[in-house]
Amino acid sequence: MPPTLDTPAHIMADIINKTDIELGVVATHSGWVGGIVPDDDGNVPRTSDGELVVLAEMKKLQELSRVKLDGVQVPVIPGTKAEDFDEICNGFKDLGLKLYFVLMVGGADPMNPGDESAVTDQLLSGLEAAKTHGVTIVSSTSIEEWMSGSPRKDGADFEAAVEQNAKLHHRCYTEAGLADSCVASWHVEFLRPGEFATFTDIGRLWKFLQAANSLVGGDNKFFKSLTDAAHCGDSDLSIPENEDLIAQMGAAGELGCFHASAMTTRGCLSTDDGWIGSLLTAVARTGTLEHVFVELFRHDDDALQALRDLDPGHGIDTTDGRDYNECTADGLEDIAHRLNNLKARGIL
């Protein structure tokens, strides 16, 4: 009998991930506005039946996906009502998904010593939640303020920004007691020029990681990269330049999870122009790949108007007649085949 939408998710999953790599999604296909971002009172959006939208959409994705989802990265947004956030986390766990956090910060500049406590307070809140929910990996873009319009820092100014970011993140590591917690590593992401001005490529990110890990000390590479193919593709570095840096970072033990996301459009993975395949293979070759997350944004999301203003390509509809659950399910299928074939070729 063919599967239906009432068929349990594990029956729908007829593509088997033959690798040890965890395959999941970032919970953005449900939309930032209308899916994740809380209202002014901290309430997370719900369906007309009272179910959290982000959970309802994840159930639909699991029903559609031809490959089993292992995990989900959840944005942790300051101001979210604690009860709603706990409901999100417990709901994902009930769906059989391993829980990972993406810590969101805003309204303060991590590179400015005067804003250190403001940024730290936001991060510590998310880190405490991670400890409460048994989260092993947290991620963040907490090395620069999003879309701040600040000028790019180079030379001595860049070195000072690296030093301040390392100090801030080590302070969070210490004050949250992460050394003795369930949190095993913190994966930090750079963003494309325009979203960020200073930390806009993987080489610049690595400078921060090296500085932060030197403060942690010993052989513990606690801070790692979140390698996002979309941001690499939109940076000023070529595919070969990214591949070379990825090899070096893998050898140093400072590569973390991988985001399969398409440059500029952030939509269907077919718009990536080769970046996902090239960089996924580069990370796989290092022998350090453990987690891959498919990440799509909605082209008409109200929260991302600034990105559409930055680059109209972000607003292109790449769904080709599908909804975003179907697009994300197609992305998961694509990445599962890529992982299986990396194994078949002896790369994984």
Side-chain angles (χ1 to χ4, degrees), residues 81-125:
K81 195 161 65 177
E83 307 94 282
D84 282 13
F85 186 70
D86 287 343
E87 188 178 341
I88 291 172
C89 293
N90 294 327
F92 281 139
K93 291 177 188 176
D94 290 344
L95 293 175
L97 299 170
K98 293 184 180 179
L99 196 62
Y100 304 101
F101 282 178
V102 181
L103 309 182
M104 311 295 291
V105 296
D109 177 6
M111 299 182 286
N112 178 1
D115 285 354
E116 180 179 313
S117 291
V119 177
T120 299
D121 288 347
Q122 293 181 58
L123 291 170
L124 286 174
S125 175

Side-chain angles (χ1 to χ4, degrees), residues 44-220:
V44 179
R46 294 180 182 270
T47 67
S48 58
D49 295 329
E51 184 177 16
L52 290 168
V53 169
V54 72
L55 294 181
E57 294 302 302
M58 187 62 71
K59 290 177 184 176
K60 293 176 185 176
L61 178 60
Q62 284 184 310
E63 290 167 349
L64 286 167
S65 179
R66 292 186 59 199
V67 60
K68 178 180 178 291
L69 274 71
D70 299 312
V72 57
Q73 282 189 318
V74 184
V76 182
I77 302 176
T80 301
K81 195 161 65 177
E83 307 94 282
D84 282 13
F85 186 70
D86 287 343
E87 188 178 341
I88 291 172
C89 293
N90 294 327
F92 281 139
K93 291 177 188 176
D94 290 344
L95 293 175
L97 299 170
K98 293 184 180 179
L99 196 62
Y100 304 101
F101 282 178
V102 181
L103 309 182
M104 311 295 291
V105 296
D109 177 6
M111 299 182 286
N112 178 1
D115 285 354
E116 180 179 313
S117 291
V119 177
T120 299
D121 288 347
Q122 293 181 58
L123 291 170
L124 286 174
S125 175
L127 293 170
E128 289 302 323
K131 290 159 61 179
T132 298
H133 287 281
V135 172
T136 57
I137 296 171
V138 297
S139 300
S140 68
T141 58
S142 50
I143 47 177
E144 192 167 338
E145 188 176 4
W146 188 65
M147 301 286 283
S148 70
S150 300
R152 179 180 175 90
K153 297 182 187 296
D154 287 302
D157 289 340
F158 175 70
E159 297 302 326
V162 168
E163 181 180 356
Q164 176 58 28
N165 263 315
K167 177 175 177 282
L168 183 156
H169 286 78
H170 182 253
R171 174 180 167 183
C172 292
Y173 172 84
T174 302
E175 292 188 12
L178 297 185
D180 301 312
S181 76
C182 57
V183 181
S185 57
W186 187 336
H187 301 186
V188 182
E189 182 179 17
F190 74 91
L191 299 184
R192 60 177 291 179
E195 292 187 74
F196 280 0
T198 296
F199 291 94
T200 53
D201 65 53
I202 200 168
R204 288 188 155 227
L205 171 66
W206 192 20
K207 295 289 188 184
F208 156 74
L209 297 174
Q210 291 169 315
N213 283 325
S214 71
L215 294 180
V216 173
D219 296 326
N220 182 14

Side-chain angles (χ1 to χ4, degrees), residues 235-285:
S235 78
D236 292 331
L237 300 182
S238 66
I239 285 178
E241 287 171 324
N242 276 278
E243 289 170 330
D244 182 55
L245 284 164
I246 284 169
Q248 295 179 56
M249 294 169 71
E254 290 171 316
L255 282 181
C257 61
F258 184 87
H259 274 186
S261 192
M263 59 182 289
T264 305
T265 69
R266 308 308 300 277
C268 177
L269 301 195
S270 65
T271 66
D272 80 314
D273 294 342
W275 282 87
I276 292 172
S278 296
L279 300 195
L280 181 63
T281 299
V283 175
R285 288 189 190 280

